[in-house]
Amino acid sequence: QSDSPKPKPKKRSNSSVEELPEEKKPKAAASMNGLSALSSLTQTTNVRRRNLTATLNSFNNDEGNANEIEPSEDGVLVCKILRKLSTSDNTSLATEGLDFSSNLGFVTLPSRQLATFASIRKAIDSDLDDDVFPLESSRGRKKWKFHVPKLGPVSVKQEEKIGPVLEFLKSTTNDAQLGTGIASDPLKVVIVDV
């Protein structure tokens, strides 16, 4: 039998917080400042954990597909209106796009997903100044059509039928100059005089 003292049993408390061993407990003088820092650290950790959990849960939808774009993510469509300049007949098809055009201004529409050529025409008529379209002496205001690079002019009948303009124009070209329809990268819409 040894004369060494037996270790004292640790006191158990009813709280769910585990007590630190005596050597790891903060000193009394520093404990007041330490409590507020510990409380702040605990709150930050809880917020980070909730953010991480919410992010991970967003990847686990029922079908395993990417989440659809919410209507609130739709936003305003910004279009830069360009007039295609008349060029000589020897221009190549490569320069048919946005290279030979003049900037007439811009229009905005309420939805990037729903805007059509017809709604852009209405916005042009209501938002741009009349001097953008010079008058012809006998017929009044000069007529124009939308022009889709690589396809040609869009008829007035097609303007509503084609559907959402942003989606349609993106499907017709891989030209990076086309734009995404936001203010910092407006959708370039080309018109031609007829």
Side-chain angles (χ1 to χ4, degrees):
Q1 293 188 1
S2 73
D3 290 337
S4 64
K6 292 184 181 178
K8 294 181 184 177
K10 291 183 181 178
K11 293 182 182 177
R12 297 234 174 204
S13 69
N14 291 337
S15 73
S16 62
V17 177
E18 187 176 317
E19 286 194 35
L20 294 172
E22 196 65 39
E23 63 274 1
K24 292 189 179 180
K25 284 188 180 179
K27 303 290 183 229
S31 68
M32 290 302 174
N33 293 335
L35 285 177
S36 64
L38 181 62
S39 172
S40 175
L41 178 64
T42 303
Q43 289 172 351
T44 303
T45 303
N46 287 339
V47 169
R48 286 184 186 153
R49 180 171 295 270
R50 277 184 277 165
N51 289 345
L52 179 62
T53 302
T55 302
L56 291 174
N57 288 340
S58 73
F59 293 120
N60 300 327
N61 59 9
D62 293 339
E63 292 134 19
N65 298 329
N67 296 331
E68 291 185 27
I69 295 175
E70 298 292 325
S72 62
E73 295 176 11
D74 182 9
V76 173
L77 175 69
V78 179
C79 298
K80 186 177 194 176
I81 310 302
L82 304 171
R83 175 184 284 133
K84 186 175 182 345
L85 301 175
S86 60
T87 56
S88 65
D89 290 336
N90 14 347
T91 24
S92 70
L93 289 175
T95 60
E96 181 188 6
L98 306 173
D99 296 332
F100 295 104
S101 55
S102 64
N103 185 354
L104 302 179
F106 72 95
V107 295
T108 59
L109 292 105
S111 172
R112 294 175 71 230
Q113 295 176 354
L114 302 176
T116 62
F117 281 113
S119 60
I120 294 173
R121 178 179 287 278
K122 288 176 189 169
I124 288 171
D125 287 340
S126 67
D127 294 352
L128 294 185
D129 292 333
D130 291 334
D131 64 353
V132 169
F133 301 99
L135 296 177
E136 284 188 350
S137 58
S138 62
R139 299 188 300 176
R141 190 168 159 177
K142 200 169 203 179
K143 296 189 184 260
W144 56 271
K145 290 186 177 189
F146 291 103
H147 178 80
V148 177
K150 298 184 182 176
L151 291 179
V154 177
S155 74
V156 175
K157 294 176 183 176
Q158 291 174 313
E159 287 181 10
E160 195 68 54
K161 286 182 180 178
I162 287 177
V165 69
L166 181 61
E167 181 181 326
F168 176 73
L169 288 175
K170 282 187 171 186
S171 72
T172 64
T173 185
N174 57 3
D175 189 348
Q177 294 181 24
L178 180 65
T180 58
I182 60 174
S184 61
D185 187 24
L187 177 66
K188 278 70 169 189
V189 177
V190 180
I191 65 170
V192 291
D193 294 326
V194 289

